[in-house]
């Protein structure tokens, strides 16, 4: 069981002192992702900005600040665009960020909005060349006549400057809204998925991509399902999986053919007929699919539950965890206020022994797969003073409400945690609650 | 009964969502609209199956109450908008003016009927949504599993047969109606064009009864007949592999609003007169006058419907007098 210690809360936006009800819509965090080492944490927001946090290195001078995440770089990744042909506005909201493994001093990440994927290079500059021959230090050009000697410019240290520059722009490949990107384990290719198609890109080539999955029917009126998420296998660069709005997952092998419309494995759990309602289809739609780090399992998130699948067993999931089953009786009102369409994400911990996902009222849930225990925690300013220990929360589903419990009717459905991330090696989690980012760490005494 | 109310409410909400999704930023979200259309479909199936039960119940009651009178039965036939087993005399009168085959008329009726249902919901929501005609077209297409017409629009850049697919959608829509009646538990499955033709012939006898009361039905048939030839023309085109005819869907789109408004007016009237036979005259009168005032504001298309309505009033007033 995790006891979380809060050691930093930060608000990327400008309205950190204002209440959440009056924040700028553009500050809503839309994606959170740790890099491969866990030293960097990237967040994307609705306004098209990317904010990168860096973990402070352990130092003797500031022993209490070890492991704190501070803002490292902020840049505008995407701008709002207008498609003149279709008279459609293209939102600048960052849908996903995926890091590339580090190969040199610079860091690379992919960020995408609905239509365009960009490869960003984030590099540090902490040295400056001084002693140029042709220009002064302030930039003015020297009169060549006056130059009598030559000197070699010397590198001098300067204040750290982090620069982000777009190195590749992968555009015009998706007719529908991009929902996922995933870097392949070969570190050369990546896939991008929209509602009906999945494309495979090479990181160096921007003017073309391979279409590997196309589920668009010849007659659009026959459309019955869409792709909701896609991910590459962590080790096998020929394998990827994608989930659908019908609650199914397909595993595809790119060696089988150029087009992977035929799946290699098909994962579906038969529906429980006793739970049938008007909204059965909506709540069975999968909002996120994630491979485990060891590649043996897959986790899917639908509206009410998280399921862990064994990649080798297609008939039913290995484990099912109910996230907020008490909402099943409220589906009609959740349909009315659009909450039923919320796309929750899920994530594994580094050792694949625990999983985490978000819920409403700024609650998030963690499930230990070995002990089968679960915990509900809240990400809020009141309960998250720095260094405070998070208290487990409980939702009262019926009967007498105990002290400290919250009844289902008093849950705030505007406070939803859709995006969470777990450090790849340590027990550090990042939780995005609307426009606030909370970073929690497991305190080991 | 509660399911019907619930289903109706869900349908109204779903339509509202589809409508508002068209104006939101970022374009239409395919996934969300697909899910909303699935909910709409489920709710509609429940609603229609309840409607059918209700109609059958009322039929039985009427038969028990007044077995001799022909007019009230025919009246309720029309007002229920369900497939009655017999045809009313005034229907026959109107039909005699129109000469055409059964199969196309069924298609039109089926199509009209499938449109009527959403039109009535649109009426309910008319306070919120002023532009009925265009949004209504969207909802009609929603019925045929296309959550938003802009999906087809999104494909307009691709060299795909947009016109053909639109036609197919309409035809499939016709097919769905009888399916949902007969097999109310089943989900309506997609029918191939071949299957459509077969289905159509088997369902002929039910065809004329389905239409709305009054001359709006006539209007529908007339314009629909014009469209029918365009339909058959286009239906053959995918089979022949011919290219799509972009001109025809435009023509259809223009005639659509006329048909739609006619149907929506008649549907409103229908919903209102479906309750009590004894108070039918009052309701009928007010709804007609309501129809007239609304139609005048709609302009030319409304004018056509207005004339048609006035023309048929004579036959109906005869029926009322008899009752």
């Amino acid at each position: 069981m995790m006891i979380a210690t809060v050691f930093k809360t930060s608000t990327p936006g400008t309205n950190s002192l204002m209440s959440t009800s009056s924040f700028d819509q553009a500050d809503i965090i839309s994606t959170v992702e740790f890099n491969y080492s866990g030293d960097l944490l990237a967040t994307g927001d609705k306004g098209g900005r990317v904010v990168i946090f860096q973990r402070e290195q352990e130092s003797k001078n500031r022993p209490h600040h070890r492991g704190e995440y501070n803002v490292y770089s902020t840049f505008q990744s995407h701008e709002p665009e207008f498609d003149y042909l279709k008279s459609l506005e293209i939102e600048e909201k960052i849908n996903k960020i995926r890091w590339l493994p580090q190969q040199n001093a610079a860091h690379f990440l992919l960020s995408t909005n609905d239509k365009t994927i960009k490869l960003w290079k984030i590099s540090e500059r902490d040295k400056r060349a001084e002693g140029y021959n042709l220009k002064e230090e302030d930039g003015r050009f020297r009169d060549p006549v006056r130059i009598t000697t030559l000197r070699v410019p010397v590198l001098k240290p300067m204040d750290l400057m982090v620069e982000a520059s777009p190195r590749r722009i992968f555009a015009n490949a998706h007719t529908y809204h991009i929902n996922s990107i995933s870097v392949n384990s070969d570190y050369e290719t990546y896939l991008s998925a929209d509602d009906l198609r999945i494309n495979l890109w090479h990181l160096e080539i921007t003017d073309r991509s391979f279409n590997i999955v196309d589920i668009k029917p010849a007659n659009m009126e026959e459309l019955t399902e869409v792709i909701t998420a896609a991910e590459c296998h962590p080790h096998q660069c020929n394998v990827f999986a994608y989930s659908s709005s019908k609650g199914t997952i397909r595993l595809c092998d790119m060696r089988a053919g150029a087009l992977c419309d035929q799946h290699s494995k098909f994962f579906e759990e038969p529906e429980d007929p006793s739970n049938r309602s008007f909204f059965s289809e909506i709540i069975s739609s999968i909002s996120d699919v994630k491979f485990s780090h060891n590649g043996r399992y897959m986790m899917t998130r639908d509206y009410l539950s998280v399921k862990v699948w064994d990649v080798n067993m297609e008939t039913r999931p290995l484990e099912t965890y109910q996230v907020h089953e008490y909402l099943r009786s409220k589906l009609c009102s959740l349909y009315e206020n659009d909450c039923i369409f919320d796309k929750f994400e899920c994530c594994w911990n580094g050792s694949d022994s625990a999983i985490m996902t978000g819920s409403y009222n700024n609650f998030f849930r963690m499930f230990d797969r070995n002990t089968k225990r679960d915990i509900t925690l809240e990400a809020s300013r009141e309960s998250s003073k720095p260094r405070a220990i998070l208290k487990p929360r409980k939702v009262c589903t019926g009967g007498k409400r105990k002290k400290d419990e919250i009844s289902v009717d008093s849950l705030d459905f505007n406070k939803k945690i859709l995006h969470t991330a777990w450090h790849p090696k340590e027990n550090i989690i990042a939780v995005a609650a609307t426009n606030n980012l909370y970073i929690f760490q497991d305190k080991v005494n | 009964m509660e399911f019907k109310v619930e289903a109706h409410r869900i349908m109204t909400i779903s339509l509202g969502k589809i409508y508002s999704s068209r104006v939101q930023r970022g374009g239409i979200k395919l996934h969300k609209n697909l899910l909303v259309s699935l909910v709409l479909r489920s709710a509609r199936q429940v609603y229609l199956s309840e409607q059918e039960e209700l109609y059958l119940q009322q039929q039985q009651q009427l038969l028990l109450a007044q077995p001799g009178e022909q007019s009230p039965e025919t009246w309720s036939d029309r007002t229920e908008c369900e497939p009655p087993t017999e045809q009313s005399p005034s229907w026959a009168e109107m039909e005699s003016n129109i000469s055409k085959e059964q199969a196309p008329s069924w298609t039109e009726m089926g199509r009209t009927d499938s449109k009527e249902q959403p039109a009535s919901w649109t009426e309910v929501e008319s306070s919120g949504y002023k532009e009925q005609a265009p949004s209504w077209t969207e909802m009609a297409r929603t019925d045929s599993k296309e959550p938003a017409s802009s999906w087809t629009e999104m494909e307009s850049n691709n060299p795909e047969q947009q016109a053909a697919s639109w036609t197919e959608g309409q035809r499939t829509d016709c097919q769905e109606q009888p399916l949902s009646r007969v097999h109310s538990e089943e989900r309506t499955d997609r029918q191939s064009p071949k299957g459509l033709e077969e289905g159509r012939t088997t369902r002929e006898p039910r065809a004329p009864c389905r239409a709305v009361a009054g001359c709006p039905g006539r209007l529908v048939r007339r314009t629909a007949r014009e469209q029918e030839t365009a339909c058959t023309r286009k239906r053959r085109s995918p089979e022949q592999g011919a290219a799509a005819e972009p001109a025809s869907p435009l023509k259809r789109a223009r005639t659509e609003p006329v048909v739609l408004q006619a149907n929506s007016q008649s549907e409103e009237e229908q919903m209102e007169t479906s309750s009590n036979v004894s108070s039918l005259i009052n309701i009928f009168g007010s709804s007609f006058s309501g129809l007239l005032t609304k139609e005048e504001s709609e302009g030319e298309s409304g004018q056509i419907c207005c004339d048609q309505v006035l023309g048929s009033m004579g036959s109906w007033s005869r029926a009322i007098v008899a009752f």
Side-chain angles (χ1 to χ4, degrees):
Chain A
M1 193 68 68
M2 272 188 60
I3 300 170
T5 310
V6 180
F7 63 97
K8 175 88 175 187
T9 66
S10 89
T11 313
T14 53
N15 303 326
S16 52
L17 295 176
M18 294 166 76
S19 64
T20 45
S21 59
S22 56
F23 57 82
D24 186 7
Q25 283 281 312
D27 290 337
I28 296 174
I29 298 171
S30 51
T31 184
V32 183
E33 185 83 356
F34 279 100
N35 74 337
Y36 282 75
S37 64
D39 284 337
L40 294 177
L41 175 68
T43 62
D45 65 20
K46 236 179 157 186
R49 282 175 308 228
V50 172
V51 180
I52 302 178
F53 298 85
Q54 188 188 42
R55 194 175 185 195
E56 262 197 44
Q57 296 306 311
E58 197 172 335
S59 82
K60 295 193 197 63
N61 299 337
R62 305 172 77 196
H64 294 300
H65 290 263
R66 184 196 76 83
E68 264 189 28
Y69 282 81
N70 298 312
V71 177
Y72 178 64
S73 171
T74 304
F75 58 93
Q76 185 76 31
S77 171
H78 286 73
E79 298 275 1
E81 286 172 42
F82 196 80
D83 183 342
Y84 295 99
L85 205 58
K86 296 174 189 169
S87 294
L88 287 176
E89 196 181 355
I90 301 170
E91 270 192 291
E92 68 275 27
K93 174 168 80 91
I94 308 293
N95 291 334
K96 282 287 186 306
I97 289 175
R98 289 288 181 264
W99 289 93
L100 264 58
Q102 191 174 10
Q103 287 170 327
N104 51 36
H107 299 278
F108 287 87
L109 61 79
L110 287 168
S111 70
T112 184
N113 69 347
D114 283 339
K115 297 286 184 185
T116 307
I117 308 143
K118 295 186 184 179
L119 176 69
W120 288 90
K121 176 181 178 183
I122 298 104
S123 48
E124 292 180 4
R125 190 193 289 271
D126 60 356
K127 292 183 187 56
R128 196 180 62 218
E130 280 180 19
Y132 285 101
N133 291 296
L134 292 174
K135 59 180 181 183
E136 305 283 358
E137 293 308 320
D138 56 7
R140 279 182 303 129
F141 283 100
R142 290 170 77 187
D143 186 0
V145 175
R146 306 268 290 277
I147 299 169
T148 51
T149 58
L150 284 178
R151 54 186 178 170
V152 177
V154 179
L155 290 174
K156 294 268 174 69
M158 58 177 261
D159 288 339
L160 180 67
M161 194 168 73
V162 182
E163 298 170 324
S165 58
R167 304 304 284 183
R168 305 271 187 277
I169 296 180
F170 306 91
N172 301 322
H174 286 280
T175 310
Y176 303 96
H177 297 323
I178 297 175
N179 51 54
S180 317
I181 48 173
S182 179
V183 181
N184 211 345
S185 51
D186 60 9
Y187 302 149
E188 281 186 358
T189 56
Y190 74 95
L191 60 78
S192 61
D194 67 21
D195 290 321
L196 297 177
R197 299 192 176 100
I198 301 179
N199 292 336
L200 185 72
W201 301 83
H202 192 282
L203 284 164
E204 300 291 331
I205 299 166
T206 59
D207 62 351
R208 69 196 106 111
S209 68
F210 288 101
N211 175 249
I212 52 177
V213 172
D214 188 343
I215 64 166
K216 180 168 176 285
N219 183 0
M220 269 305 269
E221 276 102 4
E222 289 170 10
L223 182 74
T224 53
E225 67 180 328
V226 296
I227 298 170
T228 51
E231 205 188 27
C232 291
H233 192 277
H235 310 310
Q236 297 166 28
C237 59
N238 53 294
V239 173
F240 66 94
Y242 69 91
S243 60
S244 82
S245 56
K246 272 188 169 172
T248 64
I249 310 107
R250 288 171 176 81
L251 200 75
C252 299
D253 189 334
M254 289 190 264
R255 296 173 301 188
L259 273 178
C260 297
D261 287 355
Q262 294 292 320
H263 52 261
S264 301
K265 289 203 195 318
F266 182 76
F267 300 82
E268 187 179 27
E269 184 175 29
E271 191 194 343
D272 184 3
S274 63
N275 279 336
R276 186 118 184 88
S277 75
F278 285 125
F279 312 105
S280 299
E281 280 120 356
I282 301 187
I283 62 169
S284 66
S285 173
I286 292 174
S287 52
D288 194 17
V289 67
K290 291 262 167 53
F291 278 101
S292 61
H293 290 93
N294 57 22
R296 289 174 54 194
Y297 305 106
M298 256 181 351
M299 168 166 55
T300 58
R301 175 73 156 99
D302 51 72
Y303 189 65
L304 295 178
S305 67
V306 186
K307 295 179 184 174
V308 175
W309 302 76
D310 185 326
V311 165
N312 297 315
M313 184 165 74
E314 301 164 61
T315 50
R316 58 178 173 80
L318 217 53
E319 300 145 25
T320 303
Y321 301 93
Q322 299 300 332
V323 181
H324 37 218
E325 181 69 12
Y326 46 80
L327 294 182
R328 193 181 284 275
S329 53
K330 306 233 175 270
L331 291 179
C332 196
S333 31
L334 291 166
Y335 179 71
E336 280 180 66
N337 62 17
D338 271 0
C339 283
I340 206 172
F341 301 105
D342 288 335
K343 299 201 179 154
F344 291 96
E345 291 175 10
C346 52
C347 58
W348 297 87
N349 71 341
S351 58
D352 300 332
S353 62
I355 57 180
M356 174 169 63
T357 189
S359 179
Y360 293 103
N361 208 73
N362 280 348
F363 288 169
F364 59 97
R365 305 258 281 140
M366 284 193 264
F367 302 91
D368 189 319
R369 293 179 62 216
N370 299 324
T371 63
K372 300 292 184 231
R373 286 160 79 178
D374 61 88
I375 188 169
T376 306
L377 297 168
E378 183 179 359
S380 68
R381 289 190 173 279
E382 297 76 39
S383 61
S384 308
K385 301 281 186 301
R387 305 241 162 15
I389 294 175
L390 286 181
K391 201 175 57 176
R393 307 306 304 264
K394 195 151 161 58
V395 177
C396 166
T397 51
K400 195 159 161 34
R401 187 176 77 88
K402 299 194 189 72
K403 183 175 171 290
D404 286 347
E405 278 187 0
I406 297 190
S407 70
V408 180
D409 297 314
S410 54
L411 291 174
D412 188 345
F413 290 97
N414 291 320
K415 295 185 182 171
K416 51 193 91 171
I417 291 180
L418 303 174
H419 312 284
T420 58
W422 207 312
H423 191 286
K425 298 186 179 70
E426 297 180 33
N427 277 344
I428 303 172
I429 56 174
V431 173
T434 319
N435 62 331
N436 290 318
L437 181 74
Y438 295 85
I439 301 175
F440 301 115
Q441 188 180 39
D442 189 16
K443 185 179 164 86
V444 181
N445 291 323
Chain B
M1 186 62 198
E2 314 78 47
F3 291 122
K4 186 177 174 183
V5 170
E6 181 71 9
H8 187 273
R9 197 170 76 88
I10 290 175
M11 288 194 301
T12 315
I13 295 168
S14 304
L15 288 171
K17 285 192 196 299
I18 292 172
Y19 186 84
S20 61
S21 76
R22 300 171 70 223
V23 299
Q24 75 184 70
R25 209 176 156 237
I28 298 196
K29 293 184 176 28
L30 191 69
H31 184 203
K32 183 176 175 187
N33 278 284
L34 178 69
L35 295 176
V36 170
S37 73
L38 291 174
V39 171
L40 187 63
R41 170 164 314 251
S42 311
R44 191 172 72 116
Q45 278 176 348
V46 169
Y47 183 81
L48 291 175
S49 63
E50 296 269 333
Q51 186 96 309
E52 192 170 348
E53 279 174 31
L54 209 68
Y55 166 76
L56 288 168
Q57 278 174 16
Q58 282 203 357
Q59 263 291 71
Q60 281 173 358
Q61 284 168 12
L62 285 166
L63 281 167
L64 289 166
Q66 287 157 3
E69 292 270 355
Q70 182 71 0
S71 320
E73 286 173 55
T74 61
W75 187 255
S76 62
D77 283 351
R78 249 177 276 130
T79 56
E80 282 308 320
C81 185
E82 288 295 324
T85 48
E86 62 220 323
Q87 295 195 20
S88 56
S90 43
W91 265 125
E93 283 172 10
M94 286 187 279
E95 274 188 49
S96 64
N97 300 334
I98 302 159
S99 54
K100 57 178 164 46
E101 308 121 10
Q102 276 293 63
S105 79
W106 178 89
T107 319
E108 300 321 321
M109 291 315 115
R111 197 187 301 167
T112 314
D113 189 41
S114 62
K115 285 176 188 174
E116 279 157 10
Q117 296 297 337
S120 67
W121 310 329
T122 324
E123 283 299 332
V124 170
E125 296 264 287
S126 62
S127 55
Y129 313 128
K130 296 295 168 197
E131 285 178 72
Q132 225 171 35
S135 66
W136 191 92
T137 324
E138 306 316 325
M139 285 149 208
R141 293 214 192 109
T142 307
D143 263 354
S144 56
K145 273 188 189 153
E146 187 186 347
S149 70
S150 58
W151 289 351
T152 325
E153 286 160 16
M154 279 171 101
E155 296 309 304
S156 60
N157 300 330
N158 304 340
E160 283 164 49
Q161 298 183 358
Q162 181 185 359
S165 68
W166 191 89
T167 319
E168 289 308 326
Q170 290 300 318
R171 208 154 285 104
T172 328
D173 196 14
C174 311
Q175 185 64 6
E176 276 173 34
Q177 278 298 316
L179 276 177
S180 66
R181 298 273 160 82
V182 175
H183 312 286
S184 50
E185 302 82 35
E186 278 174 17
R187 300 282 304 278
T188 53
D189 296 316
R190 291 274 99 202
Q191 295 281 327
S192 66
K194 292 278 186 293
L196 269 168
E197 292 182 76
E198 290 157 354
R200 212 187 289 166
T201 47
T202 55
R203 296 228 172 359
E204 273 177 22
R206 306 171 71 163
C209 323
R210 193 79 60 75
V212 182
C215 54
R218 190 194 298 172
L219 169 67
V220 167
R221 285 193 208 155
R222 196 178 298 152
T223 52
R225 209 157 16 101
E226 290 159 7
Q227 293 171 7
E228 175 53 22
T229 45
C231 265
T232 24
R233 226 188 309 125
K234 250 192 295 312
R235 188 163 43 83
R236 285 199 215 98
S237 61
E239 294 166 13
Q240 293 166 358
E245 299 172 39
S248 318
L250 285 173
K251 265 189 244 163
R252 292 181 92 170
R254 267 182 233 128
T255 51
E256 274 294 321
V258 178
V259 175
L260 301 184
Q261 276 159 28
N263 293 331
S264 59
Q265 312 309 342
S266 52
E267 188 54 32
E268 177 185 41
E269 161 221 344
Q270 193 137 32
M271 288 290 278
E272 289 172 359
T273 57
S274 64
S275 50
N276 206 330
V277 177
S278 58
S279 60
L280 225 40
I281 298 161
N282 298 333
I283 297 167
F284 193 63
S286 67
S287 69
F288 258 145
S289 59
L291 279 172
L292 292 174
T293 50
K294 193 163 185 181
E295 279 154 356
E296 273 151 21
S297 65
E298 298 282 4
E300 187 203 353
S301 56
Q303 200 58 32
I304 300 168
C305 186
C306 175
D307 294 334
Q308 302 288 352
V309 159
L310 288 168
S312 77
M313 267 192 87
S315 56
W316 276 355
S317 57
R318 262 177 274 143
I320 295 162
V321 163
F323 169 65

